[in-house]
Amino acid sequence: MQKIFAANWKMYKTRSQASQSAQELAKGLGQMPAGQEVVVFAPFTAISCAADAFKGHAGLTVGGQNCYPAEEGAFTGETSPAMLRDAGAAWVLTGHSERRHIMGEDDALVARKTIFALEHGLNVLLCIGETLEQREAGKLNAVLERQLAAVFAAMPASLGGAALVGKLAVGYEPVWAIGTGKVAGPKEVLDAHAVTRALLGKLVGETASRLPILYGGSVKPNNAAGLMALDNVDGLLVGGASLEAQSFLQIIGA
Ligand code: 13P
């Protein structure tokens, strides 16, 4: 299984700060071994800076944090997949909890973005996850199922199945663990990732075993190894602790 270490820089870093961090990462990582990839999800303005710093480094790639599902048009403030690719991005995040909960994106829009981005040559890291309220109400499985099913129900046959391998990854990020310092415990992560794998199995059959599932939510250098050792954890999606290159390097090294 492909292993992915993803940094989500959110709305942090100017172009010069992004260049400096990406250069530090490139220096610290050199070339990634086959089957491992590091992706930095940079703010739009800094994508090209990070992409320049990663040139010539195998397995180091850049992503956008959002895109709009149209080729071009009167969509003020939005960015198309082709524009992201032109800036040097190979990936895009969809369904991140901050877009769902702060910007009000619903499952249908997340599905449109995911499919449109895949159709237009971007790899997608599709994020799912429950709020604390949903978890406490016993709705974890139902929420993950609803979020995944919305995407796969709308997926054209030409994109689905084995065609998704190497192009789609899923990020499980419990909303209550994002930016709170409250990492999900091993049992919570194991259970949620097993549920996610099983749901993917129902939706895409045996391809499910070849789609990486990343954990995100308060990942730090001191908990990364323990998380990566868990079944069905194929990578990490790191926010705050990815802003300092040295701390993200420690997470990858763990
Ligand atoms: P933190 O690592 O800061 O909790 O953020 C997680 C996240 O949202 C990554 O996408």
Side-chain angles (χ1 to χ4, degrees):
M1 172 75 81
Q2 186 191 10
K3 297 266 180 281
I4 301 174
F5 300 94
N8 178 2
W9 285 350
K10 306 193 179 183
M11 201 175 73
Y12 291 97
K13 294 190 190 292
T14 60
R15 288 159 52 84
S16 69
Q17 289 166 337
S19 289
Q20 199 185 336
S21 295
Q23 280 164 20
E24 226 179 302
L25 290 177
K27 188 159 167 253
L29 293 166
Q31 315 286 330
M32 293 305 285
Q36 288 192 32
E37 185 165 353
V38 169
V39 191
V40 168
F41 290 95
F44 291 134
T45 49
I47 288 173
S48 62
C49 302
D52 285 347
F54 286 174
K55 274 205 185 107
H57 291 264
L60 303 197
T61 51
V62 183
Q65 299 171 11
N66 181 33
C67 67
Y68 191 74
E71 274 168 28
E72 59 184 8
F75 303 106
T76 302
E78 296 296 330
T79 307
S80 72
M83 290 167 179
L84 291 182
R85 290 180 58 196
D86 181 55
W91 284 83
V92 68
L93 281 177
T94 58
H96 190 277
S97 100
E98 286 145 21
R99 299 230 43 107
R100 291 180 191 267
H101 298 286
I102 303 174
M103 313 303 168
E105 292 190 11
D106 63 10
D107 291 329
L109 181 57
V110 172
R112 279 171 57 210
K113 289 185 175 190
T114 303
I115 290 163
F116 195 86
L118 287 168
E119 284 174 337
H120 290 80
L122 287 171
N123 294 344
V124 176
L125 175 47
L126 164 66
C127 300
I128 57 173
E130 83 290 3
T131 63
L132 187 58
E133 199 182 15
Q134 290 166 332
R135 170 171 281 268
E136 287 177 345
K139 293 188 182 148
L140 168 68
N141 296 15
V143 170
L144 301 185
E145 178 159 23
R146 191 198 74 224
Q147 292 175 338
L148 286 173
V151 172
F152 287 93
M155 185 91 71
S158 57
L159 265 189
L164 290 173
V165 176
K167 301 205 164 76
L168 180 73
V170 174
Y172 169 66
E173 296 203 302
V175 178
W176 47 274
I178 296 176
T180 58
K182 227 194 264 176
V183 67
K187 176 153 170 21
E188 289 158 327
V189 178
L190 264 178
D191 288 352
H193 280 238
V195 167
T196 303
R197 183 80 68 203
L199 289 168
L200 287 172
K202 280 211 283 186
L203 295 162
V204 294
E206 63 172 26
T207 299
S209 65
R210 295 161 67 202
L211 300 180
I213 305 175
L214 281 62
Y215 170 79
S218 296
V219 175
K220 308 284 176 220
N222 65 7
N223 59 27
L227 289 161
M228 283 302 291
L230 298 172
D231 271 357
N232 290 312
V233 176
D234 309 307
L236 300 169
L237 175 52
V238 188
S242 73
L243 293 174
E244 292 283 342
Q246 290 310 316
S247 130
F248 189 48
L249 287 169
Q250 280 173 36
I251 288 172
I252 298 165

